[in-house]
Amino acid sequence: MTHILGRCGSCMVRTAALLALAASGAVLAAPVLIISVDGMKPEYVLQADSKGLKIPYLRSLVSQWVYADGVIGVWPTVTYPSHTTLITGVSPAQHGILDNLQFDPQRHFDGAWYWYAQQIRVPTLWEAAHSAGMATASVGWPVTVGATTIDYLIPEYWRITGATEDLNPSDRYLMTAVSRPLGLLEQLQTSVGPYMLGNDTTLHGDEIKTRFAVEIIRQHKPAFMTVHLSSLDDAEHEYGVFSGQANEDLEAIDAMLARLTAAARASDPSTIVAVVSDHGFMPLTHTLNLYVPFVKAGLIDTTQDAAGGTLRITSWKAQPWFAGGMAAVMLKDPDDRATEQVVGELLRKLAADPSNGIASVRGRQEIKELGGFPDAAFIIAFMPGFYGGDRLSGNMVSEIAGTHGGHGFAPELSEMRAAFFLSGANIAHHRDLGVIDMRQIAPTMAQLMGVALPTAHAAALHVAP
């Protein structure tokens, strides 16, 4: 990876950043590659021996480089808000990506996620690097569709999901259309084969993303690049944390991480590589269908569809917005204090019974301090093992059969901690940072690259020798 000098204005911004960083004694102006392993708990690496995991690359990061015992995440501990915090250094309330899925009170959006870079309200590391005249790239990172400051971009995006044989073959043109520059994906496919149809969250999809990322590094030598590998998260949801399937998945990812690192350092030996994750995981035991008591309380009105089967929402005053192990409660009229009082009383009654799986209910004043769901009237944190469901009728609480995993719980729970590892030139050897804040990662990366990220106020980590 090499830097590309920009226009004079960009050079002045970069020079000012470098002078400030030099005064602080920070590591300066290194190329950076950030690889996210979605759902990787730090214990996978820090307790690799007891888990029987064969992950030589990841284990070398602990024995030789800088690592954290855990990363305290954001409200909620789900993929899209967390990845946006990793790249901005601020909480979801500030950067604007509040959940994975957008709030869709009458279920008209067909599962629309926060896909688009324009939805991010603060500067990103890509913008900071691009403004400093550095070439940028990204493969599979959330919330990057339409990102104009990523020079070589293959975003995470899809129209429909499912097994490859069930997808529309024409969706390959969708990925061509949203990648940039125009023609990038087609050109790369001539050397590394076809890209996935939309978003393949299996190990096969991660292998494809790895091949394309390696080729972008080889051909274009970006100075700042991000890569998102998502199959471990998929395996943990389906089979559980530290299941045989999840462990095998991470062992395969370990080899991908080694290949990505080797490619980056073949391009520029001074490259610094950060391996991160977005959240932890825990076993699931129950589904909590909070819609049910809201319907019974008259806060949501429903009707059956024409066939007399599926219920649909016709009107509402208040309803939950789920994020795995927590939910925000949104009011149709944010100033409707009468409805807010009704909801508060309902939630207090539900929380009084431990079998309902509610750990805490937080109101507007507390929400301001959490940094998530800023427009919510309440945030409900679930007890460990309880997961949000979307049924409008039936039992509020039901058992989950089989072994499955989930996240989205309160970041104060140690099970939700993410991972952080850092290696490269001018990085300390075998330094344990302890437990860190996710918001510290982006300003640390900015400092290493010698660029300015003015909205990220968390203290950069001490990673220099």
Side-chain angles (χ1 to χ4, degrees):
M1 297 182 180
T2 56
H3 293 173
I4 297 176
L5 294 177
R7 297 188 298 269
C8 182
S10 296
C11 294
M12 291 176 65
V13 170
R14 182 166 169 76
T15 300
L18 288 171
L19 289 172
L21 292 167
S24 69
V27 180
L28 299 179
V32 167
L33 168 64
I34 302 179
I35 312 166
S36 167
V37 181
D38 200 308
M40 182 173 66
K41 295 167 65 71
E43 292 88 348
Y44 275 107
V45 184
L46 302 180
Q47 299 175 15
D49 280 338
S50 64
K51 306 297 182 185
L53 281 158
K54 300 181 179 70
I55 47 173
Y57 174 79
L58 284 166
R59 292 180 67 164
S60 74
L61 299 180
V62 176
S63 63
Q64 300 176 31
W65 298 103
V66 167
Y67 64 97
D69 293 331
V71 180
I72 298 173
V74 297
W75 291 76
T77 51
V78 295
T79 298
Y80 276 42
S82 300
H83 274 86
T84 309
T85 293
L86 286 168
I87 211 72
T88 62
V90 302
S91 297
Q94 188 173 353
H95 62 56
I97 308 305
L98 304 179
D99 199 346
N100 285 341
L101 281 77
Q102 298 179 56
F103 184 51
D104 182 15
Q106 294 190 257
R107 306 186 181 186
H108 292 162
F109 300 166
D110 195 25
W113 288 47
Y114 279 94
W115 284 307
Y116 307 105
Q118 288 85 347
Q119 293 172 299
I120 302 175
R121 300 195 302 232
V122 297
T124 65
L125 284 171
W126 302 297
E127 292 175 39
H130 187 81
S131 295
M134 301 164 67
T136 57
S138 185
V139 175
W141 198 274
V143 203
T144 53
V145 176
T148 57
T149 55
I150 303 178
D151 299 304
Y152 306 101
L153 169 65
I154 305 174
E156 180 167 285
Y157 190 58
W158 63 92
R159 191 175 64 88
I160 55 176
T161 60
T164 300
E165 60 269 20
D166 298 329
L167 300 179
N168 185 339
S170 66
D171 278 359
R172 70 180 74 256
Y173 305 120
L174 171 69
M175 293 311 300
T176 299
V178 296
S179 298
R180 66 183 308 269
L182 188 64
L184 171 69
L185 198 60
E186 291 175 320
Q187 182 266 319
L188 293 172
Q189 288 178 132
T190 62
S191 54
V192 295
Y195 196 70
M196 64 185 77
L197 299 179
N199 185 36
D200 182 348
T201 58
T202 68
L203 196 59
H204 175 66
D206 279 353
E207 171 59 29
I208 290 173
K209 285 187 277 190
T210 298
R211 290 204 308 265
F212 276 75
V214 166
E215 190 65 10
I216 288 173
I217 293 169
R218 188 185 71 81
Q219 292 189 25
H220 301 290
K221 304 183 184 302
F224 175 57
M225 185 172 191
T226 54
V227 181
H228 174 221
L229 304 178
S230 53
S231 63
L232 178 62
D233 177 271
D234 193 69
E236 289 174 304
H237 277 298
E238 185 67 23
Y239 302 107
V241 185
F242 301 119
S243 61
Q245 293 88 340
N247 290 353
E248 290 175 7
D249 189 283
L250 185 59
E251 289 176 346
I253 287 175
D254 186 76
M256 298 178 199
L257 297 174
R259 286 161 52 200
L260 287 162
T261 299
R265 292 193 175 134
S267 175
D268 189 327
S270 67
T271 298
I272 292 171
V273 178
V275 176
V276 302
S277 69
D278 49 351
H279 51 70
F281 251 90
M282 71 168 60
L284 299 182
T285 58
H286 295 81
T287 299
L288 177 52
N289 291 292
L290 275 178
Y291 284 106
V292 173
F294 276 69
V295 170
K296 289 181 179 179
L299 296 164
I300 299 174
D301 293 324
T302 65
T303 188
Q304 288 185 319
D305 62 18
T310 304
L311 286 175
R312 60 184 179 87
I313 296 173
T314 55
S315 63
W316 63 286
K317 293 182 178 179
Q319 67 169 280
W321 180 10
F322 286 103
M326 71 174 66
V329 177
M330 310 300 292
L331 303 182
K332 186 170 186 179
D333 177 1
D335 297 322
D336 185 351
R337 295 295 177 258
T339 295
E340 185 172 344
Q341 184 174 355
V342 170
V343 172
E345 293 173 357
L346 172 64
L347 295 178
R348 280 188 287 274
K349 289 178 181 178
L350 294 175
D353 183 351
S355 67
N356 289 332
I358 295 176
S360 67
V361 177
R362 309 184 193 220
R364 292 182 187 272
Q365 286 303 117
E366 291 179 282
I367 289 171
K368 291 179 182 178
E369 300 173 1
L370 299 180
F373 296 116
D375 299 322
F378 302 93
I379 291 181
I380 309 163
F382 302 162
M383 291 181 181
F386 284 76
Y387 217 52
D390 61 359
R391 291 207 311 261
L392 296 169
S393 63
N395 295 328
M396 185 179 80
V397 177
S398 57
E399 291 187 2
I400 294 176
T403 303
H404 301 282
H407 51 90
F409 296 88
E412 60 208 28
L413 298 176
S414 61
E415 295 93 334
M416 289 298 101
R417 289 177 184 169
F420 176 77
F421 306 91
L422 192 69
S423 66
N426 296 313
I427 298 298
H429 289 268
H430 191 57
R431 177 176 294 163
D432 182 353
L433 299 173
V435 177
I436 66 173
D437 188 312
M438 184 171 284
R439 293 170 296 181
Q440 294 180 274
I441 294 174
T444 303
M445 299 301 107
Q447 195 173 83
L448 293 171
M449 289 189 288
V451 300
L453 197 62
T455 52
H457 299 303
L461 300 164
H462 179 49
V463 297

